[in-house]
């Protein structure tokens, strides 16, 4: 890392020693888990570069944007509409929540029995190691699960720029009205922050930009239907993770480039795993960078992940936003329609999610499903049981995992996952 | 051709050598703090043409001996089918893991469940509790069967259960009664795991804890079906690995 970055991190108020340690661990984990994969698509080198510069060059870009008068907005959830952020001349970034950090300090503010993702978000703040969080002009929290909802009350004591968005929990007309009202309130807040009122043209352009990014991911997902799998689940997850950090247009190009390459692979019938290899869908909680624990175990056990039914995956990227509309209000309605379809487990009932899992099994010719639940994440852990039951009735093997970011259960997880892969073989 | 299976568990290592499905040799040793050294001891003087490893130490073996590996779940399933061809429900309680395995047609693993991180209700739990009550592991089960009354132990965590045992001792409870309470706690957990997957029928019980006659007895009482324990319940995994190797799986 260059000295420029060090002074940049220091200016952001990062704890340089702790941050060095984090980058050291991250780099080592990435090297071991990612760079050792066989026959990776050449296009992944872009994502390797992005990861190597995830706290470096990308942060510098954000700082440069800030210097040019643009605002940075950080979010923890796929319900925060990037279209609105872009249309008001701001940049949206996902905030760090995929690794344990400063746990002792975190447990002074949150109960031990809080999910790893929430604890991690606090750990990155308290440990002063997330440059995204520190560069953000606005941090958006959202009332999804009870854990996050209450945690934001405490996070508000640690930062002075937290904005909390309310979210419906039922897919009713009233629920939709609430989402629309909240997106309108968010629009005003963002406009106030940036001083750039959203226009029909700017919102339409933003919708196009975000749609292009999603369409590229859809293209990548479609290619994963192929047997042999042209890309590993590890790499596809990484692409889905970088979705939250990168410049949207550049990201779209990089994903499309990799898709061109994968199409060539498919023509040549080449892939990263042999044909007829066990194929798995991972469903459940989001896996934020650098939470690669489960996919690493699955793919080293010999199965290939062909789809993520997750916020970092299809739940987050499914459906495009309709670009047609003559007023900001009409376009906002299109945005609401798109986001209101997200099948997050905070909704009750949440039948769409089961349908989507079944659809994905069919579409990607999966042999089994691994339900990934973060410990103490009630919404997803509770949904896992009826999902497992329906899958059993349909004869689809399902392995229900409940874990966190620690490595203490790795031995048992390895045995369970390997046995599951044996079961699919 | 001689095919060997080696099961490297958290507490013991077993090796079984077979030829055309017939057992030729069985070896066993404690795992200790030096599994590599103990593997060498177990294999010393044993002749075989090929070997497959299972158990939590399988990857250690895979690297050191360039051998094939299989999970203990598949290996126990295979070994159980060999010893008891009607087996569909297998309970394996070892040193740090407990598993319930359901076999489908042809003996393929259909479903399984396994404890996910702590050693609650496993051999390690019984070992710590036996020591807390000053029983040897061998006399722990038979002593529990001599209990005069039923005490309920609520904690399943080894650490919490130990303090619960301490308070029962200080209350003046008889140690056989406490022992029974602890065995009941293990059985309640194991029976719960079985019931979640169980298609009905007898239970094939393997792993080190299957040597404990009280656990077997209480499981039969709880589930109201025969609980079958093979002569050497600890070698089922190694046998299964040897059979899978011989069958080319």
């Amino acid at each position: 890392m260059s000295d420029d970055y060090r002074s940049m991190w220091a200016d952001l108020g990062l704890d340089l020693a702790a941050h060095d340690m984090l980058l050291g661990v991250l780099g080592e984990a990435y090297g071991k888990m990612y760079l050792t994969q066989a026959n990776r698509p050449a296009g992944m080198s872009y994502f390797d570069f992005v990861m190597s510069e995830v706290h470096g060059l990308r942060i510098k870009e954000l700082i440069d944007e800030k210097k040019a008068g643009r605002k940075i907005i950080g979010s923890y959830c796929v319900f925060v509409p990037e279209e609105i952020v872009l249309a008001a001349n701001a940049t949206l970034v996902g905030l760090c929540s995929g690794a344990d950090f400063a746990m002792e300090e975190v447990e002074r503010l949150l109960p031990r029995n809080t999910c790893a993702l929430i604890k991690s978000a606090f750990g990155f703040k308290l440990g002063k190691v997330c440059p995204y969080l520190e560069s953000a002009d606005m941090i958006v929290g959202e009332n999804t699960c009870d854990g996050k909802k209450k945690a934001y009350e405490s996070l508000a004591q640690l930062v002075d720029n937290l904005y909390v968005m309310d979210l419906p929990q039922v897919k009713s007309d009233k629920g939709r009205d609430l989402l629309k009202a909240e997106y309108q309130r968010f629009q005003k807040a963002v406009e106030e922050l940036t001083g750039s009122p959203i226009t029909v043209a700017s919102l339409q352009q933003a919708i196009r930009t975000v749609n292009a990014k999603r369409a590229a991911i859809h293209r990548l997902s479609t290619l994963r239907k192929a047997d042999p799998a042209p890309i590993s689940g590890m790499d596809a997850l990484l692409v889905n993770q970088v979705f939250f950090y990168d410049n949207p247009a550049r990201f779209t190009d990089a994903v499309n480039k990799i898709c061109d390459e994968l199409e060539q692979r498919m023509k040549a019938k080449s892939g990263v795993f042999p044909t007829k290899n066990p194929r798995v869908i991972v469903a459940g909680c989001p896996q934020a960078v650098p939470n690669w624990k489960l996919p690493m175990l699955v793919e080293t056990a010999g199965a290939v992940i062909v789809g993520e039914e997750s916020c970092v995956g299809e739940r987050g990227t499914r459906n495009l936003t309709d670009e047609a509309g003559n007023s900001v209000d009409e376009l906002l309605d299109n945005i609401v329609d798109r986001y209101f379809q997200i099948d997050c487990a905070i909704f009750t009932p949440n039948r769409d999610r089961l349908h989507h899992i079944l659809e994905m099994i069919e579409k990607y010719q999966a042999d089994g499903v691994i339900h990934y639940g973060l410990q103490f994440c009630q919404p997803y852990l509770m949904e896992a049981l009826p999902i497992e039951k329906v899958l059993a009735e349909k004869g689809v093997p399902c392995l229900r995992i409940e874990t966190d970011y620690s490595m203490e259960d790795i031995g048992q997880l390895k045995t369970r996952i390997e046995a599951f892969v044996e079961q699919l073989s | 051709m001689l095919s060997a299976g080696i099961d490297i568990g958290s507490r013991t290592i077993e090796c079984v050598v077979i030829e055309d499905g017939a057992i030729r040799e069985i070896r066993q040793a404690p795992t200790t703090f030096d599994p590599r050294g103990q593997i060498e001891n177990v294999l010393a003087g044993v002749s075989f043409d090929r070997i497959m490893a299972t158990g939590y130490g399988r990857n250690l073996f895979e690297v050191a001996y360039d051998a094939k590996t299989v999970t203990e779940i598949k290996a126990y399933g295979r070994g159980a089918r060999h010893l008891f061809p009607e087996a569909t429900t297998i309970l394996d309680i070892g040193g740090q893991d407990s598993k319930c395995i359901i076999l489908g047609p042809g003996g393929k693993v259909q479903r399984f469940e396994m404890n996910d991180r702590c050693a609650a209700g496993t051999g390690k739990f019984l070992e710590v509790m036996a020591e807390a009550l000053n029983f040897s592991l061998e006399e722990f089960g038979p002593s529990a069967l001599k209990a005069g009354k039923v005490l309920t132990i609520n904690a399943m965590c080894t650490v919490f259960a130990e303090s619960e045992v301490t308070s029962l001792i200080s209350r003046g409870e008889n140690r056989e009664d406490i022992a029974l309470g602890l065995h009941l706690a293990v059985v309640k957990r194991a029976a719960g795991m079985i019931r979640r997957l169980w298609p009905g029928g007898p239970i094939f019980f393997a792993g080190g804890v299957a040597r404990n006659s009280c656990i077997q007895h209480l499981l039969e009482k709880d589930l109201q079906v025969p609980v079958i324990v093979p002569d050497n319940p600890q070698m089922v995994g190694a046998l299964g690995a040897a059979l899978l190797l011989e069958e080319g799986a």
Side-chain angles (χ1 to χ4, degrees):
Chain A
M1 294 286 168
S2 75
D3 288 346
D4 282 3
Y5 291 160
R6 296 195 77 78
S7 61
M8 172 178 81
W9 294 329
D11 290 347
L12 286 171
L14 296 192
D15 176 337
L16 290 185
H19 187 248
D20 283 348
M21 202 178 85
L22 175 75
L23 289 188
V25 173
L26 184 69
E28 197 191 319
Y30 193 81
K32 269 193 200 149
M33 294 186 198
Y34 271 92
L35 303 180
T36 54
Q37 294 181 94
N39 199 15
R40 293 177 81 209
M44 281 312 294
S45 61
Y46 172 75
F47 295 92
D48 290 341
F49 176 72
V50 169
M51 281 314 293
S52 70
E53 290 286 346
V54 72
H55 281 196
L57 191 56
R58 183 63 187 137
I59 298 300
K60 191 178 172 304
E61 286 179 345
L62 296 180
I63 301 286
D64 289 345
E65 285 184 18
K66 278 163 75 92
K67 279 182 192 153
R70 205 175 157 93
K71 300 290 179 187
I72 309 299
I73 297 179
S75 134
Y76 292 106
C77 179
V78 295
F79 269 103
V80 178
E82 188 170 9
E83 292 90 338
I84 292 177
V85 173
L86 291 177
N89 196 30
T91 294
L92 186 72
V93 288
L95 297 176
C96 307
S97 57
D100 287 340
F101 211 86
M103 276 302 134
E104 269 177 42
E105 282 183 71
V106 172
E107 284 173 10
R108 280 204 288 267
L109 296 178
L110 295 173
R112 288 205 62 184
N113 296 358
T114 304
C115 91
L117 191 135
I118 297 174
K119 277 186 173 176
S120 170
F122 273 61
F124 276 94
K125 175 66 205 168
L126 293 165
K128 300 184 188 128
V129 288
C130 176
Y132 290 92
L133 183 87
E134 304 305 335
S135 16
D137 298 291
M138 179 199 265
I139 297 166
V140 186
E142 22 47 52
N143 293 342
T144 42
C145 64
D146 285 353
K148 280 178 120 185
K149 203 155 65 185
K150 299 307 286 185
Y152 290 128
E153 293 176 16
S154 303
L155 190 65
Q157 310 301 311
L158 304 177
V159 297
D160 56 8
N161 54 354
L162 181 71
Y163 173 96
V164 178
M165 179 183 281
D166 196 17
L167 287 180
Q169 313 255 304
V170 178
K171 300 243 167 125
S172 60
D173 290 346
K174 272 190 181 158
R176 193 192 174 283
D177 290 347
L178 170 63
L179 190 64
K180 174 143 190 217
E182 280 300 299
Y183 281 3
Q184 282 168 330
R185 188 170 71 92
F186 182 58
Q187 178 194 340
K188 280 200 193 76
V190 179
E191 285 172 337
E192 214 164 278
L193 177 76
T194 62
S196 304
I198 291 177
T199 63
V200 175
S202 75
L203 194 50
Q204 223 150 19
Q205 182 51 49
I207 291 173
R208 264 183 228 122
T209 303
V210 184
N211 274 350
K213 179 161 102 154
R214 290 190 192 114
I217 288 283
H218 297 168
R219 187 177 164 209
L220 176 67
S221 303
T222 303
L223 295 172
R224 293 170 76 190
K225 291 179 189 171
D227 186 26
I231 184 169
S232 69
M234 290 276 292
D235 279 335
L237 173 65
L238 185 73
V239 173
N240 275 286
Q241 288 173 331
V242 169
F243 183 94
F244 293 88
Y245 296 89
D246 202 3
N247 172 285
R250 189 174 57 199
F251 173 84
T252 304
D253 282 348
V255 176
N256 279 320
K257 241 177 233 154
I258 219 171
C259 289
D260 293 341
E261 184 187 351
L262 298 187
E263 276 168 3
Q264 293 307 314
R265 283 191 163 198
M266 279 166 64
K267 275 186 202 145
K269 293 255 172 235
S270 88
V272 285
F273 284 86
T275 43
K276 308 275 170 225
N277 201 66
R279 298 163 70 87
V280 168
I281 299 280
V282 173
C285 291
Q287 294 168 65
V289 171
N291 178 15
W292 303 306
K293 177 171 148 181
L294 181 82
M296 184 268 291
L297 287 171
V298 173
E299 297 203 327
T300 50
V304 57
I305 297 168
V306 290
E308 296 77 25
E309 190 280 321
S310 160
C311 305
V312 184
E314 297 214 0
R315 189 180 313 119
T317 56
R318 187 179 287 121
N319 301 321
L320 301 180
T321 305
D322 190 353
E323 293 173 21
N326 297 313
S327 64
V328 169
D329 191 59
E330 272 178 48
L331 293 172
L332 204 62
D333 267 321
N334 297 348
I335 292 170
V336 172
D337 286 339
R338 189 257 160 205
Y339 283 84
F340 199 49
Q341 294 179 67
I342 297 173
D343 54 354
C344 171
I346 59 149
F347 282 93
T348 179
N350 190 32
R351 295 185 195 96
D352 286 349
R353 188 169 163 235
L354 174 64
H355 298 151
H356 282 139
I357 292 174
L358 296 174
E359 193 181 282
M360 285 179 73
I361 294 168
E362 183 84 21
K363 199 156 84 179
Y364 301 110
Q365 303 167 56
D367 303 301
V369 172
I370 296 182
H371 193 285
Y372 175 78
L374 284 173
Q375 210 177 9
F376 313 121
C377 171
Q378 273 187 352
Y380 283 99
L381 292 177
M382 285 208 182
E383 283 194 357
L385 296 154
I387 285 169
E388 185 185 37
K389 192 164 167 269
V390 172
L391 293 179
E393 283 162 13
K394 296 195 177 289
V396 179
C398 175
L399 178 68
R400 201 158 35 85
I401 300 262
E402 190 179 326
T403 187
D404 55 22
Y405 295 167
S406 77
M407 291 295 155
E408 64 180 27
D409 59 349
I410 211 105
Q412 266 115 344
L413 272 184
K414 199 166 148 51
T415 299
R416 292 175 66 201
I417 289 166
E418 282 180 15
F420 185 65
V421 174
E422 286 170 353
Q423 196 185 333
L424 301 181
S425 309
Chain B
M1 190 185 268
L2 295 169
S3 300
I6 186 164
D7 181 358
I8 304 147
S10 64
R11 294 291 286 117
T12 59
I13 300 170
E14 291 84 20
C15 178
V16 174
V17 182
I18 62 165
E19 190 172 18
D20 299 327
I23 296 173
R24 294 277 174 255
E25 191 159 5
I26 299 177
R27 292 282 192 99
Q28 189 181 38
T31 308
T32 74
F33 62 91
D34 178 23
R36 279 169 196 274
Q38 290 298 86
I39 290 168
E40 278 175 35
N41 290 339
V42 166
L43 293 180
V46 179
S47 55
F48 56 84
D49 299 303
R50 50 192 181 169
I51 189 161
M52 187 183 248
T54 187
Y56 101 109
R58 65 187 177 283
N59 298 111
L60 182 80
F61 191 85
E62 180 183 22
V63 176
Y65 290 78
D66 193 24
K68 283 189 167 183
T69 62
V70 63
T71 64
E72 47 270 43
I73 291 164
K74 190 170 177 181
Y76 268 86
R78 184 63 195 94
R81 259 295 154 102
H82 184 80
L83 296 169
F84 185 57
E86 297 85 44
T88 47
T89 306
I90 298 144
L91 175 68
D92 162 30
I93 310 185
Q96 65 179 17
D97 292 327
S98 54
K99 304 170 194 84
C100 178
I101 305 156
I102 306 296
L103 299 181
K108 200 169 152 50
V109 175
Q110 208 166 39
R111 299 177 72 188
F112 67 89
E113 211 169 286
M114 174 176 162
N115 59 322
D116 45 17
R117 63 177 70 207
C118 80
T122 65
K124 190 73 206 166
F125 176 86
L126 289 169
E127 207 176 325
V128 172
M129 297 309 144
E131 196 174 330
L133 293 170
N134 204 19
F135 285 117
S136 72
L137 207 49
E138 290 67 33
E139 63 185 355
F140 196 33
S143 303
L145 285 168
K146 288 183 207 143
K149 69 170 176 183
V150 178
L151 287 176
T152 307
I153 308 279
N154 297 305
M156 251 286 93
C157 164
T158 310
V159 180
F160 290 145
E162 200 171 5
S163 52
E164 209 173 330
V165 165
T166 309
S167 67
L168 289 170
I169 293 170
S170 67
R171 223 168 70 187
E173 296 290 355
N174 167 311
R175 70 174 184 149
E176 278 80 15
D177 296 344
I178 302 173
L180 179 64
L182 289 162
H183 281 73
L184 277 167
V186 172
V187 166
K188 194 175 157 196
R189 190 182 166 95
M193 183 161 72
I194 290 170
R195 282 202 178 89
R196 283 196 290 277
L197 306 176
W198 197 24
I203 312 294
F204 183 90
F205 187 17
V209 173
R211 306 191 89 100
N212 183 311
S213 56
C214 182
I215 299 283
Q216 182 194 13
H217 171 77
L218 294 175
L219 271 171
E220 287 190 330
K221 225 171 118 182
D222 189 318
L223 298 167
Q224 294 289 311
V225 289
V227 172
I228 299 144
V229 177
D231 286 343
N232 191 342
Q234 285 171 288
M235 62 88 181
V236 176
L239 172 65
L243 288 163
L244 288 166
L245 185 60
E246 192 161 75
E247 290 153 7

